[in-house]
Amino acid sequence: MHIHALKTSNLKEIIFSSFVFFLIFRLLVNIIYFLFPFEILDTFYPLYEWQWYLIWFGLPAITGLLLAIHFHNKLLARFGIGSLFITVFFYVYVGGLLYLTWNYPFKRPAVFSELLDAKQVMAIVDFEHKPTNSIMIMDYLLTYRICYDYYCLLERPLVAFYEANARIDTNKNIDTSIINEIIQNIKENDFLPEPASPYYYESANSFTARLVKFKTHRAEIYYHLSVRTGEVDNDHYALCEFLVDGESLHVVKNQCFFYDVAGVEFLDYAGLPILLETFMLLVLSISYLVLYYLIKHGIVKIEE
């Protein structure tokens, strides 16, 4: 019984102590993000998603647990209890608010994995769509550039195609009947976001789009449609992406997220939230280190 109680006590110390190390290593990740512009750390980089979460949250958690196994004690466990509540509150509460605003919590969703398997981009067509079913093909409406900042939206698939070393042909067209059928499938399945009110109906259903036809290394043919809608709410816009089967023209995968223009775009995680988080982590880390030193050297007493 005594041995079991001792093991349970050690396990609790390890778990709670790990939260202290977790917060410290989360701070290190933020510092690296600010000092070194690694693509994989960029919240807007379109090729990584689970890898980003692994670095930002997984590695600090694993490192914190490994350190806690060797360096756990009652004092660290006490700090860890407070860290647990702070961690859960900040990341669940703030992540939830960000998700409600942007339709993703911290990191913009990655492009579909099929794009990274592209062997050849067979055609690229830019067009504008307005209710009802008015399509205007645009000649080089958008530049075919590689970028992944906040307003790089229709360009996201190009990052994947260049990463895949796909041969890109921008001179071929896609028949308007195919464009119409794909849009019809999207509308019938209600894949586009609903406007906040009837006032935004026309703008929400008007969009600029890029349709790409490509072939994978497995000889599969897909269409990829990127849709940048008008306002769905005040200064609030949507970017939707669809992977479409090349034969049936049915939507295989779809995803949407939001962005703002002259609105609250600074509330994206890469803006104000990460600054507040870094400040919080810095204050907590310094406080823990100073307080731990003072207590261990008997300068500050705490009740057992």
Side-chain angles (χ1 to χ4, degrees), residues 23-24 82-83 86-87 279-289:
L23 291 183
I24 293 174
S83 301
I86 293 171
T87 302
F279 178 75
M280 176 195 74
L281 292 172
L282 182 62
V283 170
L284 283 174
S285 298
I286 294 175
S287 299
Y288 284 155
L289 291 173

Side-chain angles (χ1 to χ4, degrees), residues 13-264:
E13 283 186 7
I14 291 172
I15 293 174
F16 288 127
S17 297
S18 69
F19 280 95
V20 176
F21 295 115
F22 169 80
L23 291 183
I24 293 174
F25 276 89
R26 276 293 298 113
L27 174 62
L28 291 178
V29 172
N30 283 30
I31 292 173
I32 292 173
Y33 168 74
F34 287 123
L35 295 180
F36 305 100
F38 294 120
E39 292 173 344
I40 197 171
L41 295 177
D42 196 311
T43 58
F44 301 124
Y45 194 62
L47 303 190
Y48 307 118
E49 189 167 0
W50 68 264
Q51 298 92 332
W52 186 91
Y53 282 100
L54 176 63
I55 292 174
W56 282 72
F57 296 102
L59 289 183
I62 294 170
T63 305
L65 183 60
L66 292 175
L67 286 174
I69 291 174
H70 292 281
F71 300 108
H72 67 89
N73 58 47
K74 291 183 179 179
L75 181 55
L76 282 176
R78 282 194 173 190
F79 291 166
I81 293 174
S83 301
L84 170 61
F85 287 108
I86 293 171
T87 302
V88 171
F89 174 80
F90 182 87
Y91 291 113
V92 173
Y93 180 74
V94 174
L97 288 179
L98 292 174
Y99 182 84
L100 292 175
T101 305
W102 310 117
N103 208 36
Y104 60 89
F106 300 100
K107 168 76 170 66
R108 275 187 180 174
V111 295
F112 306 124
S113 59
E114 287 80 0
L115 275 63
L116 283 168
D117 188 40
K119 180 180 180 180
Q120 177 187 2
V121 175
M122 305 168 72
I124 300 178
V125 175
D126 295 334
F127 64 92
E128 288 186 344
H129 172 275
K130 295 184 181 298
T132 54
N133 296 327
S134 171
I135 293 177
M136 179 183 296
I137 303 297
M138 310 297 291
D139 292 329
Y140 302 105
L141 171 67
L142 301 159
T143 57
Y144 300 131
R145 62 194 179 110
I146 301 301
C147 62
Y148 43 89
D149 57 31
Y150 186 82
Y151 293 111
C152 284
L153 301 165
L154 301 188
E155 297 85 356
R156 281 164 43 95
L158 294 179
V159 181
F161 293 139
Y162 277 97
E163 182 70 20
N165 293 317
R167 183 162 56 89
I168 299 178
D169 187 347
T170 61
N171 297 319
K172 295 183 179 180
N173 294 320
I174 300 174
D175 195 274
T176 306
S177 62
I178 293 177
I179 298 175
N180 277 317
E181 186 170 347
I182 292 174
I183 292 175
Q184 190 62 32
N185 288 339
I186 290 170
K187 288 184 175 181
E188 288 177 354
N189 288 280
D190 295 323
F191 285 140
L192 293 177
E194 292 290 330
S197 69
Y199 175 79
Y200 295 103
Y201 175 81
E202 183 171 355
S203 62
N205 287 276
S206 302
F207 51 80
T208 302
R210 170 171 289 169
L211 183 62
V212 181
K213 183 180 182 180
F214 69 97
K215 179 191 293 186
T216 69
H217 285 89
R218 292 173 290 183
E220 297 169 323
I221 304 294
Y222 290 105
Y223 291 95
H224 183 278
L225 178 64
S226 301
V227 170
R228 191 177 64 194
T229 72
E231 285 183 298
V232 296
D233 200 352
N234 183 40
D235 289 332
H236 205 52
Y237 299 76
L239 188 282
C240 297
E241 296 173 328
F242 305 93
L243 184 69
V244 180
D245 181 79
E247 293 185 3
S248 66
L249 298 184
H250 290 160
V251 175
V252 179
K253 296 180 180 178
N254 68 287
Q255 60 186 14
C256 291
F257 62 83
F258 300 103
Y259 66 98
D260 262 59
V261 175
V264 294

Side-chain angles (χ1 to χ4, degrees), residues 266-303:
F266 66 93
L267 292 181
D268 187 279
Y269 177 67
L272 183 61
I274 197 173
L275 294 177
L276 294 176
E277 177 198 29
T278 303
F279 178 75
M280 176 195 74
L281 292 172
L282 182 62
V283 170
L284 283 174
S285 298
I286 294 175
S287 299
Y288 284 155
L289 291 173
V290 172
L291 190 57
Y292 189 85
Y293 176 86
L294 294 176
I295 293 174
K296 292 296 288 185
H297 288 78
I299 300 175
V300 173
K301 303 290 184 180
I302 61 171
E303 295 182 1

